[in-house]
Amino acid sequence: MSVHCREVITLQLGHYSNFVGTHWWNLQDASLSYDPESPPGEIQSDVVFREGQTLGGHVTYTPRLIAMDLKGSLRTLRQEGSLYDAGKDTAAVTWDGSLLMHKESPPAKNSFLEDLDKLDKGEILAEVDFSSSPQRSAAAAGGAGGSVSVESVNSRLARVQKGYRLEGSVKVWSDFLRIHLHPRTISVIHQYNHDGEAHRLEAFGQGESLLQGSVLEELEDKLHFFVEECDYLQGFQVFCDLADGFSGLGSKVTEMLQDSYGGRGILTWGLVPVSRPDSTPVKDLYHLLNCTLGTVHMANHSSFFCPLTLRGGLGRRPSPPTTFSHLSYDPSLWYHSSSALALALDALTVPYRLRNNSVPMWQVADTLAVSGRKVVAAYGAVPFPMMHGGSLPDALSACSDAPPWKPLSACPEAADGRCYGQWATLKGFEGQKLISSLAPGTKPPTPLHSLHSGEDVLASYVASFYPSAPLALQLVATPSKLTPPFPQIFSPALDAQGFLQSQTPPAGSPVPPVSSVPVLTSLQSGPALGSWLSELHRGAVAFDIRRVAPSFLSQGPELADYQEALEQLRLQARCYRDDSAGVMRSSSEDEEDD
């Protein structure tokens, strides 16, 4: 591990967060390379991965991750993983009486997991002639019997390019997990069920009350293990479900991190699926209240808090889901919507994962969370529409009326160009030109074409929409690499590298799978968040919770604490409001708006 590596520990709290996290880790795994002849990549994988060794002496490379979920959520995945399996207990049975054994059939594995098993066991897949590849993967580390080298899974799966159609077979996040996990990664909460009607983690107070006893002890033990092996821990990235009881657990977890690891960055992403299969009017109300309380408390205990969702809003009657020009995803499938959010997160988390010119977590947060404004909004162009063989000025000048990104936090952009701070990241332009290559003496078609660096081009473009906003930006050539089982949800207008083709292939012609994509993201703090937080507040105070949903408070919080949280939300919304001159409004004006 590099002396200058600043490690990050990831926590995934809740089922949808684990969906997004699984796609995100698969993306990281697909970019790993151990070839000593290759130059070091732009992304320093040691920031989020850890090196270890199995009991058999095999080197492993696993996520520095703690993932929490409910009983029944793992299906075919063993909680302790398989890397450090010491084998079955072969001690003799001393009971002399008769034995009656009941064996339950394990859940069936989909075609992707079956192929992973074959690779782990060193079996050759008949479809493909595998040749040596410099790229290696964490997924095969410690394969069965040590018969598979670390390089197997990435190179082989990339060559298989099987059309895994997992839309009908993905039930839980482990159904498309392509990497091995450390035995200390998974934590199952046995008090609540993933499926069924009984014992569901539905309310904020239920989650808050979980972090005690054995659950707290197990989390502290796992944290201590991962923290102790870090040399330069920069902080924690927390992916937390916002719409169910995990919002309460996440609030307590971030509070614990803040108390125990003060001074470290805590970047919290509140994740919400577009829809839930078991939705009812009462559950929709619970979802709104969970989002409301989770936003208040996790923002208080984090360096910044960013909701992430493709829903049109967090209220009970949201607008239609976010759409992208070159994505054809099914909003009702968590497998699809989580993949789009993971692509965005791959770019959003770049600044503190770079090998060179890395920006520590706390500095990213300080750039955005100014004057107590700790809630930020995310936007993304997934993928960024860039013509193959074109240039960055060409791509941006084609979007002169509005930025190409769409809301990823259910927060529409302000139309007046006001913004307190912004962090823009362009990832994946590898092989394309960042500046114009006009012949000498040719008049530039736009001001962007006259600039001499990619940074200047992107900064000038963003400033045309936000002329007075402080801006930080990062350009990373390395794309997000898409390997099985990432869903092929892309427009046929894209080529294999995710760039726009000059001509769309004729209908019915075979379309090669998209293997990488460019992504443009923006993190913003601005007045638009004041309206977003006010809308959240209005939705929560629009009814008497004691009459409409008395059971929501049955396990906490107390009514007085609930009302105090709503008041904090109202005050938080006021922090984002100002007039065009940047002067804060008076309290009387705020009360009129509320």
Side-chain angles (χ1 to χ4, degrees):
M1 182 177 290
S2 169
V3 174
H4 304 291
C5 175
R6 292 188 286 235
E7 303 95 343
V8 170
I9 295 174
T10 303
L11 292 92
Q12 294 168 194
L13 313 177
H15 204 61
Y16 191 64
S17 293
N18 280 309
F19 260 78
V20 175
T22 297
H23 276 304
W24 190 84
W25 287 109
N26 286 350
L27 290 172
Q28 309 318 307
D29 175 66
S31 297
L32 290 177
S33 176
Y34 280 52
D35 181 12
E37 302 300 321
S38 297
E42 293 176 287
I43 305 297
Q44 187 167 26
S45 57
D46 286 346
V47 170
V48 294
F49 282 94
R50 61 176 296 280
E51 189 174 292
Q53 203 171 57
T54 68
L55 297 175
H58 301 291
V59 175
T60 64
Y61 205 51
T62 53
R64 195 176 292 107
L65 166 68
I66 299 172
M68 303 183 76
D69 213 326
L70 305 179
K71 182 172 65 175
S73 63
L74 301 184
R75 279 174 57 86
T76 61
L77 182 66
R78 293 167 54 187
Q79 181 176 346
E80 68 278 9
S82 58
L83 282 183
Y84 298 81
D85 190 0
K88 296 182 180 180
D89 183 8
T90 56
V93 177
T94 57
W95 172 251
D96 293 330
S98 60
L99 293 174
L100 182 62
M101 295 183 65
H102 297 273
K103 186 175 182 180
E104 183 180 1
S105 298
K109 292 187 175 184
N110 59 43
S111 58
F112 169 72
L113 293 181
E114 288 177 348
D115 283 352
L116 274 187
D117 285 347
K118 292 178 182 178
L119 292 176
D120 270 357
K121 295 173 183 177
E123 298 176 10
I124 303 280
L125 294 183
E127 298 92 328
V128 173
D129 175 26
F130 298 118
S131 62
S132 60
S133 168
Q135 198 171 26
R136 303 182 180 182
S137 169
S147 58
V148 185
S149 68
V150 178
E151 68 179 0
S152 306
V153 171
N154 246 12
S155 57
R156 296 188 178 191
L157 280 179
R159 286 177 169 275
V160 170
Q161 287 297 350
K162 285 181 64 173
Y164 294 109
R165 298 296 181 183
L166 303 184
E167 282 77 5
S169 62
V170 169
K171 308 298 182 186
V172 298
W173 50 271
S174 61
D175 286 339
F176 59 96
L177 177 70
R178 55 175 283 158
I179 58 175
H180 281 309
L181 302 176
H182 191 273
R184 292 182 185 262
T185 282
I186 298 176
S187 185
V188 175
I189 298 170
H190 294 279
Q191 292 94 318
Y192 294 98
N193 294 324
H194 169 64
D195 286 317
E197 291 297 321
H199 304 291
R200 301 300 299 273
L201 185 60
E202 296 178 329
F204 181 89
Q206 292 174 298
E208 267 197 320
S209 62
L210 269 176
L211 202 61
Q212 56 183 316
S214 60
V215 175
L216 176 59
E217 291 174 5
E218 184 178 359
L219 177 59
E220 288 179 331
D221 176 66
K222 292 177 184 294
L223 275 172
H224 180 75
F225 172 79
F226 287 115
V227 169
E228 281 296 302
E229 62 181 17
C230 293
D231 294 322
Y232 301 94
L233 176 66
Q234 63 168 308
F236 306 85
Q237 56 181 14
V238 182
F239 304 158
C240 182
D241 283 12
L242 189 59
D244 58 23
F246 274 101
S247 64
L249 178 62
S251 298
K252 285 298 184 181
V253 168
T254 50
E255 181 180 11
M256 184 188 77
L257 293 176
Q258 185 183 52
D259 292 342
S260 303
Y261 304 97
R264 312 292 187 186
I266 304 172
L267 306 189
T268 303
W269 310 86
L271 291 150
V272 182
V274 175
S275 62
R276 289 178 175 270
D278 56 353
S279 182
T280 66
V282 173
K283 289 182 178 179
D284 288 345
L285 180 58
Y286 271 42
H287 296 163
L288 169 64
L289 297 177
N290 290 327
C291 289
T292 301
L293 294 176
T295 296
V296 172
H297 290 286
M298 283 191 272
N300 286 342
H301 304 316
S302 303
S303 305
F304 76 48
F305 172 79
C306 181
L308 277 183
T309 183
L310 298 181
R311 276 174 67 95
L314 298 186
R316 288 182 287 171
R317 286 178 285 275
S319 303
T322 300
T323 58
F324 302 92
S325 300
H326 301 290
L327 279 191
S328 300
Y329 77 99
D330 184 343
S332 67
L333 289 181
W334 287 19
Y335 174 56
H336 277 190
S337 64
S338 60
S339 69
L341 292 179
L343 272 177
L345 269 171
D346 195 28
L348 291 166
T349 58
V350 153
Y352 53 87
R353 296 190 292 120
L354 289 174
R355 186 175 303 277
N356 299 311
N357 302 316
S358 176
V359 181
M361 281 180 152
W362 63 265
Q363 189 173 333
V364 175
D366 285 354
T367 302
L368 297 166
V370 180
S371 302
R373 304 183 187 107
K374 295 172 75 173
V375 180
V376 300
Y379 304 86
V382 185
F384 174 56
M386 192 170 186
M387 188 70 68
H388 183 85
S391 68
L392 183 59
D394 292 336
L396 293 176
S397 59
C399 307
S400 58
D401 294 333
W405 51 60
K406 299 294 183 68
L408 300 176
S409 300
C411 179
E413 278 188 284
D416 54 11
R418 287 183 295 156
C419 186
Y420 305 127
Q422 182 169 186
W423 197 296
T425 301
L426 174 61
K427 184 177 189 293
F429 56 84
E430 192 171 64
Q432 308 303 304
K433 297 187 292 289
L434 290 180
I435 59 175
S436 179
S437 54
L438 297 174
T442 305
K443 182 181 178 180
T446 71
L448 296 179
H449 288 77
S450 64
L451 300 175
H452 302 292
S453 74
E455 288 79 5
D456 288 344
V457 170
L458 184 57
S460 178
Y461 176 78
V462 174
S464 68
F465 297 100
Y466 297 94
S468 61
L471 172 66
L473 53 84
Q474 217 124 28
L475 277 68
V476 178
T478 306
S480 298
K481 296 181 180 178
L482 313 179
T483 51
F486 197 94
Q488 287 294 319
I489 53 176
F490 302 97
S491 162
L494 301 181
D495 64 13
Q497 284 72 48
F499 297 109
L500 292 172
Q501 304 180 76
S502 56
Q503 291 184 334
T504 302
S509 62
V511 179
V514 176
S515 59
S516 64
V517 288
V519 175
L520 175 65
T521 59
S522 171
L523 277 175
Q524 298 181 18
S525 172
L529 279 158
S531 302
W532 184 86
L533 292 166
S534 291
E535 183 181 351
L536 204 57
H537 178 263
R538 283 193 296 270
V541 300
F543 55 89
D544 183 351
I545 191 172
R546 293 167 295 185
R547 181 178 61 86
V548 178
S551 60
F552 184 82
L553 300 178
S554 60
Q555 295 191 45
E558 297 291 337
L559 180 61
D561 294 332
Y562 170 76
Q563 293 171 336
E564 181 184 350
L566 294 185
E567 176 63 12
Q568 287 182 34
L569 181 62
R570 189 181 73 85
L571 296 176
Q572 180 72 268
R574 285 176 54 183
C575 289
Y576 290 85
R577 299 180 184 174
D578 66 2
D579 59 23
S580 58
V583 180
M584 291 299 296
R585 295 186 181 188
S586 68
S587 59
S588 61
E589 290 175 308
D590 288 324
E591 288 166 4
E592 288 175 8
D593 285 351
D594 291 337

